Amino acid sequence: MKFVDEARISVEAGNGGDGCVSFRREKFIPKGGPDGGDGGDGGSVYLVGDANLNTLVDFRHQRRHRAEHGRPGMGRNRTGAAGADTEIRVPLGTRVTDAATGEVMGELLAQDARLLVAAGGFHGIGNTRFKSSTNRTPRQSTPGKPGERRELLLELLLLADVGLLGLPNAGKSSLIRALSSARPKVADYPFTTLYPNLGVVSVGPKRSFVVADIPGLIAGAAGGAGLGIHFLKHLARTRLLLHLVDMAPADPEAAPAEDVRTLAAELAAFDPAVAARERWLVLNKIDLLDADTLAARRAELVQALDWQGPVYAISASTGAGTAELARDVMARLNELPHPLRPTPAPDTEAPTDAATWHPLD
């Protein structure tokens, strides 16, 4: 299935039904009085979160969504039927923006969460409601109000705990294959990954986290170069970033320290909040180096960057060091607050399964 993370749709709520002007007419009751009923309310349009969806591709084909109109009122004080609401199911993590005003209307972050995006029109009033001691034969009614209409921009931001970033061919897809059951494409040429991939990493019974792999970044990504700018937004909800560095690049002139600085600058240019997020260095492809060369290159990189954070040496191809990395990531996630849940009060005991929660539960 093609991964689509943006779509534009048109939503139209139903109009309210008109009120009715009617008078009671029965045998032997010549002046029965008004009996026109109210109309029905128009149906509304809701977006509903659905964990079983993972792309917005369906909205590329079905762009218009309408709710039913309310039925008009009738004689004998009969109220018109209300229009049925329309529910549009979207993947969890979908952000909804009014395309005309740029206002963010909300986000769908939980299963079956509902967001009203177009309210149905209010019903019209029948002439029965206008009768009074001085107006016994009212002939006025009100029409139903029109329903709201909007053009919406839907953006899917992946719900992941950990984000992988690095240059093309740094080994991000290989790492997600080593850690989880996800099977993204892996090849020996750049830009193998053309769209994000999610993987669930299990580190024990009821202990897991979600990792996101985005296409490789290059210099100028924040300005639109390569594929990075389109997918950098998927790092917005992550709590921890793993920066993969190729320790055995094919280009002998490659400078790993400069590559790390370049990507850090691209993150800062795109979103300072993401750039300020906790980031670990993960030195990949150690299976291609002997121990002395690896130690020398590691020391050189750490010194050049003046790196103070955690550093891990792994081989995504052979799996060396990946189990330790996964355990330490899980332990760190247990300490970090989750952006989608309020932090428990100091005198409140955290749920026993807090460490195992992830958006795919």
Side-chain angles (χ1 to χ4, degrees):
M1 179 183 296
K2 183 178 180 181
F3 181 84
V4 176
D5 61 352
E6 286 188 4
R8 284 180 176 265
I9 64 172
S10 171
V11 293
E12 299 181 16
N15 300 330
D18 296 337
C20 176
V21 175
S22 175
F23 294 90
R24 182 182 179 194
R25 287 178 173 84
E26 295 184 27
K27 192 175 183 179
F28 307 122
I29 306 178
K31 297 181 180 180
D35 68 349
D38 297 342
D41 291 329
S44 298
V45 181
Y46 293 87
L47 298 185
V48 182
D50 190 339
N52 295 315
L53 301 176
N54 54 20
T55 177
L56 298 173
V57 66
D58 293 338
F59 299 104
R60 291 290 180 92
H61 310 291
Q62 185 178 2
R63 296 178 181 272
R64 302 190 68 180
H65 301 266
R66 297 176 176 176
E68 288 186 355
H69 299 309
R71 304 289 293 178
M74 295 170 285
R76 300 183 182 179
N77 289 318
R78 287 176 292 177
T79 300
D85 294 335
T86 293
E87 292 189 348
I88 307 171
R89 305 193 76 83
V90 298
L92 298 189
T94 300
R95 174 182 294 167
V96 186
T97 304
D98 188 317
T101 65
E103 174 193 4
V104 177
M105 301 183 65
E107 299 179 326
L108 284 304
L109 303 177
Q111 176 68 19
D112 295 326
R114 285 160 55 94
L115 176 65
L116 176 64
V117 293
F122 186 72
H123 61 264
I125 304 301
N127 69 332
T128 302
R129 305 275 291 275
F130 290 94
K131 68 181 179 181
S132 67
S133 59
T134 59
N135 185 13
R136 297 191 178 186
T137 57
R139 297 182 180 278
Q140 65 264 46
S141 63
T142 62
K145 301 295 184 182
E148 293 181 335
R149 299 184 177 187
R150 284 196 173 94
E151 296 289 331
L152 301 179
L153 172 62
L154 306 182
E155 296 178 282
L156 175 58
L157 279 69
L158 297 180
L159 299 179
D161 301 297
V162 179
L164 303 181
L165 69 151
L167 292 176
N169 268 13
K172 301 182 299 299
S173 296
S174 297
L175 178 58
I176 202 173
R177 289 172 67 100
L179 293 175
S180 70
S181 297
R183 289 296 176 263
K185 182 179 180 180
V186 174
D188 57 354
Y189 53 83
F191 298 110
T192 307
T193 301
L194 300 178
Y195 52 86
N197 295 287
L198 283 180
V200 179
V201 181
S202 177
V203 295
K206 296 186 178 181
R207 289 171 54 83
S208 61
F209 60 89
V210 180
V211 60
D213 162 33
I214 68 169
L217 305 178
I218 61 175
L227 299 174
I229 183 64
H230 189 64
F231 298 113
L232 274 172
K233 63 185 179 182
H234 293 299
L235 300 177
R237 302 191 197 278
T238 58
R239 293 184 283 161
L240 179 65
L241 299 177
L242 299 183
H243 191 147
L244 267 70
V245 182
D246 184 352
M247 296 303 289
D251 182 4
E253 302 298 325
E258 188 59 32
D259 293 339
V260 172
R261 294 193 191 96
T262 298
L263 295 195
E266 295 300 326
L267 285 180
F270 178 78
D271 187 346
V274 175
R277 198 149 299 158
E278 184 172 345
R279 186 160 48 102
W280 294 2
L281 274 187
V282 179
L283 313 182
N284 192 23
K285 302 185 183 179
I286 62 172
D287 55 304
L288 302 179
L289 304 173
D290 58 64
D292 293 338
T293 303
L294 173 62
R297 291 188 180 182
R298 173 173 178 162
E300 180 183 354
L301 178 63
V302 170
Q303 182 178 3
L305 295 172
D306 192 23
W307 189 263
Q308 304 299 321
V311 181
Y312 290 82
I314 68 162
S315 170
S317 177
T318 65
T322 57
E324 178 188 359
L325 174 63
R327 287 194 300 268
D328 290 353
V329 167
M330 185 77 261
R332 182 55 180 153
L333 291 176
N334 291 341
E335 300 171 354
L336 295 173
H338 201 288
L340 304 184
R341 294 181 301 176
T343 303
D347 58 346
T348 302
E349 184 176 355
T352 56
D353 63 342
T356 66
W357 186 94
H358 58 75
L360 298 184
D361 283 344

